[in-house]
Amino acid sequence: RMPGSIPEADRRHRASAAFSLSFLSLVFSITAFSSSHWCEGTRKVAKPFCKGDSKGDLCIRFNSPDGNNSQAVQYIWETGDDKFVERNFHAGIWYSCEEMINEDGERCRSFISLTPASDRGVLWLSIVTELLYVVLLLIGNILMSVEIFYYSSVIDGLKINAFSAVVTVLAGLLGMVAHMMYTTVFQMTVNLGPEDWRPHTWDYGWSYGLAWTSFACCMAAAVTTINKYTKTILEFKHKRKKLERSFRIQYNFPDH
């Protein structure tokens, strides 16, 4: 090994670091893509009428002893905000779920059906871009694993390294665009979506943070891969200069 060259162990270490970051990015992206916690918050839901002997703060009470009699005059005591109850909800790319009143469990609806018709095309484009992001991450992981565990020469590894760097950078760009498009679609749905869905308060959930963490890991893997490629190229140039200098010295001062 010539002075200044990168040892094989260091190259393996950098390749393993890039593969680990890319694998984490793939796991995070699949988890976020399949979950429904990109956005979380509360909705104001009108309380149902109390039935039978049911009492409490989750239904509207009457002063009539016979609440089921439609002929009787019924007075509702709740006014203003007392007529509403806040229910938690969470939404993702595929569906939106909210707590049910006086019942256990959640009621889920397709988020695509809640999106305004004018923004539905952008949502589908976001979904397709997210799928391409996951596919490219998977291809990048396969290339990096091949580079680590199976290549016959440094030149072959360098070629695979170049392909994996391009694929990972492209995946990161697609992931960034997909996340931004979904953010825009969700904000438009909050303003223009159906009345029985619009949230009272909302914020981004853990899936949204996980999606951007996946993007950060993807770009870190791309930077590590490009850095490894650049250092390997510089090593080859350094070796070539050393070899040329050695030949030049031998030509100028031949052995007698």
Side-chain angles (χ1 to χ4, degrees), residues 93-181:
I93 293 178
W94 298 105
Y95 51 91
S96 173
C97 299
E98 63 184 78
E99 291 180 326
M100 299 182 66
I101 303 177
N102 294 327
E103 292 183 27
D104 296 331
E106 296 179 327
R107 181 172 68 100
C108 296
R109 290 179 283 180
S110 170
F111 184 74
I112 299 174
S113 64
L114 300 172
T115 308
S118 58
D119 298 311
R120 206 160 290 168
V122 180
L123 179 60
W124 277 112
L125 185 60
S126 172
I127 292 174
V128 172
T129 309
E130 285 281 355
L131 286 173
L132 288 176
Y133 172 55
V134 173
V135 170
L136 288 177
L137 281 177
L138 180 60
I139 294 175
N141 272 268
I142 294 173
L143 290 174
M144 290 178 187
S145 62
V146 169
E147 180 191 359
I148 294 173
F149 300 110
Y150 181 78
Y151 66 89
S152 57
S153 66
V154 177
I155 298 298
D156 292 338
L158 197 62
K159 292 178 181 178
I160 297 174
N161 187 252
F163 281 119
S164 61
V166 172
V167 169
T168 307
V169 170
L170 183 58
L173 294 176
L174 287 176
M176 179 183 64
V177 171
H179 303 344
M180 294 176 66
M181 283 193 296

Side-chain angles (χ1 to χ4, degrees), residues 51-67:
K51 296 180 179 179
D53 296 332
S54 60
K55 295 180 181 179
D57 297 329
L58 299 180
C59 62
I60 298 177
R61 298 181 297 275
F62 297 99
N63 71 332
S64 171
D66 187 7

Side-chain angles (χ1 to χ4, degrees), residues 4-256:
S5 64
I6 302 176
E8 181 68 18
D10 187 51
R11 280 198 296 265
R12 291 279 184 178
H13 177 72
R14 292 178 183 276
S16 299
F19 174 76
S20 299
L21 288 168
S22 182
F23 182 75
L24 280 177
S25 178
L26 178 64
V27 173
F28 290 163
S29 64
I30 293 176
T31 303
F33 186 64
S34 59
S35 69
S36 62
H37 289 267
W38 286 63
C39 299
E40 299 173 343
T42 60
R43 289 191 60 247
K44 270 191 173 183
V45 182
K47 296 179 182 178
F49 296 122
C50 295
K51 296 180 179 179
D53 296 332
S54 60
K55 295 180 181 179
D57 297 329
L58 299 180
C59 62
I60 298 177
R61 298 181 297 275
F62 297 99
N63 71 332
S64 171
D66 187 7
N68 294 325
N69 187 357
S70 60
Q71 302 297 326
V73 178
Q74 301 169 354
Y75 297 95
I76 300 174
W77 292 105
E78 284 81 0
T79 58
D81 288 340
D82 292 335
K83 297 195 318 185
F84 298 92
V85 61
E86 289 191 351
R87 298 285 86 183
N88 295 325
F89 86 98
H90 54 90
I93 293 178
W94 298 105
Y95 51 91
S96 173
C97 299
E98 63 184 78
E99 291 180 326
M100 299 182 66
I101 303 177
N102 294 327
E103 292 183 27
D104 296 331
E106 296 179 327
R107 181 172 68 100
C108 296
R109 290 179 283 180
S110 170
F111 184 74
I112 299 174
S113 64
L114 300 172
T115 308
S118 58
D119 298 311
R120 206 160 290 168
V122 180
L123 179 60
W124 277 112
L125 185 60
S126 172
I127 292 174
V128 172
T129 309
E130 285 281 355
L131 286 173
L132 288 176
Y133 172 55
V134 173
V135 170
L136 288 177
L137 281 177
L138 180 60
I139 294 175
N141 272 268
I142 294 173
L143 290 174
M144 290 178 187
S145 62
V146 169
E147 180 191 359
I148 294 173
F149 300 110
Y150 181 78
Y151 66 89
S152 57
S153 66
V154 177
I155 298 298
D156 292 338
L158 197 62
K159 292 178 181 178
I160 297 174
N161 187 252
F163 281 119
S164 61
V166 172
V167 169
T168 307
V169 170
L170 183 58
L173 294 176
L174 287 176
M176 179 183 64
V177 171
H179 303 344
M180 294 176 66
M181 283 193 296
Y182 176 79
T183 304
T184 302
V185 170
F186 185 84
Q187 291 176 350
M188 294 300 295
T189 306
V190 169
N191 296 325
L192 303 176
E195 290 286 347
D196 64 340
W197 178 85
R198 293 182 194 177
H200 178 61
T201 59
W202 67 276
D203 201 352
Y204 297 109
W206 62 266
S207 295
Y208 188 80
L210 198 64
W212 282 107
T213 303
S214 170
F215 165 75
C217 290
C218 175
M219 297 311 295
V223 170
T224 305
T225 306
I226 293 173
N227 179 264
K228 176 180 176 294
Y229 177 84
T230 304
K231 287 200 171 187
T232 306
I233 292 295
L234 292 177
E235 177 190 1
F236 282 137
K237 289 183 178 180
H238 177 76
K239 286 184 176 180
R240 187 178 65 180
K241 287 181 180 179
K242 284 280 187 180
L243 193 60
E244 290 175 354
R245 190 178 305 149
S246 176
F247 282 137
R248 194 179 301 116
I249 292 175
Q250 291 180 9
Y251 179 75
N252 291 332
F253 303 100
D255 294 333
H256 296 286

